[in-house]
Amino acid sequence: MLVILGFAMIAVFMVLIMTKKLTPVLALIIVPTVFGLFAGAGLGIGDMVLDSMKSMTSTAALLMFAIIYFGLMIDVGLFDPLVKFILRKLGNDPAKVVLGTALLAAAVSLDGDGSTTFILTTAAMLPIYLRLKMSPVVLTCVAGLANGTMNIVPWGGPTARAATALKIDVNDVFVPMIPSLIGGIVVVLVFAWILGLQERNRLRSTQPEIWGVPDTAAEFDGGAPDGPAAGSGAGRGSKGNTPGGAAPAGGSVDGGSVAVLERTETLVDDHDAAMADTALDPNRSTLRPKLFLFNLGLTVAVMAMLIADLVPLPYVFMVGSAIALLVNFPKVKDQGAQLVAHSSSIVAVVSMVMAASVLTGVLTGTGMVEAMSAWLVQIIPSSMGPLMAVITGLLSIPMTFFMSNDAFYFGVLPVLSETAAHYGIGAAEMARASITGQPFHMQSPLVPAILLLVSLAKVDLGDHHKKVLWRAAVVSLVMLGIGMLTGAIGIG
């Protein structure tokens, strides 16, 4: 009964948020409560939730003050020069912007911390998405995929957990999986490019007054050269065109290139009217250009503290936010206004973290997690024994989504590994297979970092899941397949 209730609870929760019948916060509270009562939790369900909530308080504090800090830095204009620089380097092509997002997220993920990755990636790229009128859901999808794939680095957590649980050296787990990691990143980059092409086509069709109507997709190659534009503009809103499509003196006919150049120049113009009354309004009253170097230094210091891990991350952002508010907005009235300005984002993410404690509390407190794990192990027929490593890789995809990494690696993996040993499958192979589900795991609502990502980008969790889940499953399966082909994940 617990097995049925556990799987049914996860299924109902996912359906409700993806179909937008309930907001994630309400679904995280109502669905586990109903199923927990059916599971016989009774009045004890309150203690289950509170025990789970205690472990969430530091996470909630981290997310709350991280939102305040980076929201403040966007308001005062710290990232405006970065937006211009990246726009010039990536050009005006959404495909290149999305690809750049994937590369940035993958690079920053080398520090092994999802929250840091999403904070930096969102801070750098979200203003660009807003400026180009691209969908932030694409940003969360690509960043989530890149970080989930890179999450198997030895210092990222899952690999160390798997090695510890099976009492083997972490290098024995990770090094043979490097080809799988590379393959996974390649798939992520392919997905990023395809998503970027889709954004390019969407913007071209929905906003011709901004993007023009070029003749071919090749005209969106970005990085139009400085200086006089060549060719006649096939796109609407181009300038400097000669009648009848004749090329200006010294130029060549290249339909649409003028429109592309004009769009590039417009998008990097501080006085772009399209950004009026937005977070990137070049005339916003919160800009503090004279304090740019101070804010840059403070942000570098905060990032250094994050990487050094000398003090708890929530405290780092608490102090950073206090200093930033005090220096940039010395008047008490302005400080209060800034806090209020970001209150909606804070309430959204903190309430979701607290609500997630209901789901985790019920799963753990009622024994659903243990029952589901035991059932999955029992239903594997003995004839499938030689395939235990492959089966473990497949199981890691859904199981790490609805349970924590600790529960899977310390509770489920040892049981699976013990069974596999009877068929000549080593612990190292089992550990390698178990980490292939991480791209999917990182999209779970039980992962605080993903809640931070969707909150910073102001994206609905259900929208994120609809775009990212099947792609994350593909990345996980590719990593598992490459592991099998290279022999890192063998068959007994």
Side-chain angles (χ1 to χ4, degrees):
M1 180 60 70
L2 286 176
V3 173
I4 295 173
L5 288 174
F7 283 114
M9 179 172 70
I10 298 297
V12 170
F13 167 75
M14 294 302 299
V15 169
L16 287 176
I17 66 169
M18 293 182 72
T19 59
K20 297 189 177 181
K21 299 297 183 183
L22 286 178
T23 64
V25 171
L26 292 183
L28 284 167
I29 296 173
I30 296 173
V31 175
T33 298
V34 172
F35 279 88
L37 293 175
F38 273 111
L43 297 178
I45 193 172
D47 292 331
M48 297 176 189
V49 172
L50 287 181
D51 288 341
S52 177
M53 193 175 293
K54 290 176 183 177
S55 64
M56 297 281 197
T57 53
S58 61
T59 299
L62 166 64
L63 303 185
M64 173 180 174
F65 286 97
I67 290 172
I68 292 175
Y69 184 85
F70 284 99
L72 174 63
M73 288 300 144
I74 290 175
D75 287 347
V76 298
L78 175 64
F79 300 109
D80 286 18
L82 178 62
V83 171
K84 296 178 187 178
F85 174 79
I86 296 178
L87 274 173
R88 292 190 179 103
K89 292 299 180 182
L90 296 177
N92 57 348
D93 188 350
K96 291 184 178 180
V97 171
V98 179
L99 188 63
T101 303
L103 291 171
L104 175 62
V108 180
S109 293
L110 286 171
D111 77 342
D113 182 72
S115 296
T116 303
T117 297
F118 295 146
I119 287 170
L120 292 176
T121 303
T122 307
M125 301 305 297
L126 181 60
I128 297 172
Y129 278 69
L130 297 177
R131 200 172 188 97
L132 299 182
K133 302 187 184 300
M134 295 169 61
S135 170
V137 182
V138 175
L139 186 158
T140 64
C141 175
V142 171
L145 288 174
N147 179 253
T149 305
M150 294 295 296
N151 203 38
I152 72 167
V153 293
W155 52 90
T159 302
R161 286 180 174 90
T164 302
L166 300 184
K167 297 179 176 60
I168 54 179
D169 188 86
V170 68
N171 287 331
D172 291 339
V173 180
F174 174 70
V175 174
M177 289 297 289
I178 291 177
S180 291
L181 175 60
I182 295 173
I185 289 296
V186 169
V187 175
V188 171
L189 295 179
V190 171
F191 277 139
W193 183 254
I194 294 173
L195 286 168
L197 294 178
Q198 292 173 350
E199 278 296 279
R200 169 199 288 173
N201 293 332
R202 181 185 66 82
L203 291 168
R204 184 172 58 184
S205 63
T206 61
Q207 300 180 45
E209 72 282 0
I210 298 177
W211 291 88
V213 186
D215 295 330
T216 64
E219 293 156 22
F220 280 89
D221 59 353
D226 295 330
S232 61
R236 192 179 310 169
S238 59
K239 61 184 177 181
N241 301 342
T242 56
S252 61
V253 177
D254 181 15
S257 61
V258 177
V260 171
L261 178 60
E262 180 187 9
R263 185 166 62 250
T264 305
E265 292 174 341
T266 301
L267 291 172
V268 298
D269 182 2
D270 275 349
H271 300 287
D272 183 3
M275 297 313 299
D277 300 322
T278 71
L280 294 175
D281 188 339
N283 299 312
R284 57 192 185 274
S285 61
T286 56
L287 285 175
R288 298 291 187 271
K290 294 182 180 180
L291 293 173
F292 175 81
L293 291 179
F294 170 81
N295 289 320
L296 178 62
L298 178 62
T299 301
V300 170
V302 169
M303 292 299 101
M305 292 297 292
L306 288 178
I307 297 172
D309 196 22
L310 298 177
V311 294
L313 299 188
Y315 183 64
V316 172
F317 277 108
M318 283 181 179
V319 174
S321 299
I323 294 175
L325 275 171
L326 184 62
V327 174
N328 288 278
F329 301 94
K331 295 182 179 179
V332 175
K333 180 180 178 181
D334 293 337
Q335 294 169 6
Q338 275 299 299
L339 292 175
V340 171
H342 302 289
S343 59
S344 59
S345 298
I346 295 170
V347 170
V349 67
V350 173
S351 62
M352 199 178 302
V353 171
M354 293 294 102
S357 66
V358 181
L359 180 59
T360 56
V362 170
L363 277 171
T364 304
T366 61
M368 287 183 186
V369 167
E370 292 81 357
M372 294 159 72
S373 303
W375 177 78
L376 286 170
V377 173
Q378 291 173 2
I379 64 171
I380 300 174
S382 58
S383 60
M384 300 290 288
L387 298 173
M388 280 300 297
V390 178
I391 292 173
T392 298
L394 294 174
L395 289 177
S396 71
I397 297 175
M399 291 189 74
T400 58
F401 184 82
F402 60 75
M403 66 174 64
S404 68
N405 275 338
D406 286 336
F408 178 73
Y409 289 108
F410 294 115
V412 179
L413 181 59
V415 177
L416 294 172
S417 183
E418 182 67 25
T419 304
H422 295 294
Y423 300 94
I425 301 175
E429 293 177 87
M430 293 294 290
R432 294 169 200 150
S434 71
I435 63 177
T436 58
Q438 285 306 301
F440 202 82
H441 161 76
M442 279 304 298
Q443 318 312 320
S444 171
L446 303 182
V447 176
I450 207 67
L451 300 181
L452 175 63
L453 174 63
V454 297
S455 297
L456 288 175
K458 293 181 173 60
V459 167
D460 183 82
L461 183 62
D463 291 338
H464 173 74
H465 279 162
K466 282 190 287 187
K467 190 171 287 289
V468 79
L469 285 184
W470 73 266
R471 292 179 172 89
V474 170
V475 176
S476 292
L477 291 173
V478 168
M479 294 175 69
L480 179 61
I482 294 176
M484 295 171 62
L485 290 175
T486 60
I489 301 171
I491 298 176

